[in-house]
Amino acid sequence: MVRRPVAAVVAIVLFGEAIGIALLNWFLGVIADRQDMSLAGIDPDTMATSSKAGGVVFGLYFALCGVAALLIALRDRAPSGFWRIVLISAAVVHGLLGALTVGLVGWSAFAYMMVVFGLILLTLMMYDRGQGPAGAPPADSAPGGDTEGARKDTAQGDAPEGGGAPAPAAS
């Protein structure tokens, strides 16, 4: 199947993004610090520190998303609970970043974000939980697994025990 390799590729891409976003924000923080740049009167040290902190936070977030994808690839099972939410949030973030990068960076960055968005969605969809457990009875069987009793009830119809005409429906 293709599920494990796709999840592994998603993990590698997300780890790469984690490193890239952390380094980019750190670099921007260093530039803001060395140039004594200010925006709307904000202290340059505050701008540099917040850029570096933002890089670390987003880097850790994308690394966490990469761990979620790596666990899926290693276990070959659908993500559950927390890990599923992490991957869904990563898909949402990539969708939003893709929309923002069109105007700021260009169509190539948008295409990259949409490819990553698609890979994350593909991982989530291939490991969809819509299927029941491996040994589950078919959905058309009666509750409790008594398919023979369900057939007897339907064979007798809706006739009352006296054998006469069916009773009128109560409204």
Side-chain angles (χ1 to χ4, degrees), residues 92-114:
V92 170
V93 165
H94 279 84
L96 291 172
L97 286 176
L100 291 173
T101 57
V102 171
L104 297 175
V105 183
W107 288 102
S108 60
F110 171 77
Y112 171 77
M113 285 295 167
M114 291 301 105

Side-chain angles (χ1 to χ4, degrees), residues 28-43:
L28 291 174
V30 169
I31 288 175
D33 190 32
R34 289 189 181 165
Q35 295 294 321
D36 285 330
M37 299 169 102
S38 179
L39 180 66
I42 298 174
D43 183 37

Side-chain angles (χ1 to χ4, degrees), residues 9-35:
V9 167
V10 169
I12 291 168
V13 168
L14 288 173
F15 285 132
E17 282 186 357
I19 293 169
I21 199 78
L23 290 176
L24 176 68
N25 278 312
W26 194 272
F27 177 70
L28 291 174
V30 169
I31 288 175
D33 190 32
R34 289 189 181 165
Q35 295 294 321

Side-chain angles (χ1 to χ4, degrees), residues 7-21 58-70 86-87 90-91 93-94 112 116-117 119-120 123:
V9 167
V10 169
I12 291 168
V13 168
L14 288 173
F15 285 132
E17 282 186 357
I19 293 169
I21 199 78
F58 278 114
L60 289 174
Y61 168 71
F62 283 129
L64 181 69
C65 296
V67 167
L70 184 63
V86 165
L87 277 180
V93 165
H94 279 84
Y112 171 77
V116 177
F117 174 72
L119 285 172
I120 294 171
T123 301

Side-chain angles (χ1 to χ4, degrees), residues 36-168:
D36 285 330
M37 299 169 102
S38 179
L39 180 66
I42 298 174
D43 183 37
D45 291 333
T46 303
M47 286 182 57
T49 304
S50 61
S51 177
K52 292 175 183 177
V56 169
V57 167
F58 278 114
L60 289 174
Y61 168 71
F62 283 129
L64 181 69
C65 296
V67 167
L70 184 63
L71 287 174
I72 292 171
L74 292 176
R75 294 177 181 167
D76 198 25
R77 283 188 303 187
S80 62
F82 175 73
W83 296 113
R84 187 167 186 84
I85 292 170
V86 165
L87 277 180
I88 291 171
S89 72
V92 170
V93 165
H94 279 84
L96 291 172
L97 286 176
L100 291 173
T101 57
V102 171
L104 297 175
V105 183
W107 288 102
S108 60
F110 171 77
Y112 171 77
M113 285 295 167
M114 291 301 105
V115 166
V116 177
F117 174 72
L119 285 172
I120 294 171
L121 284 183
L122 186 61
T123 301
L124 287 168
M125 298 293 285
M126 285 192 305
Y127 286 98
D128 191 19
R129 294 175 163 223
Q131 305 151 346
D140 61 345
S141 66
D146 185 21
T147 56
E148 199 60 39
R151 284 191 211 125
K152 287 179 192 173
D153 291 341
T154 56
Q156 292 175 356
D158 290 336
E161 288 185 357

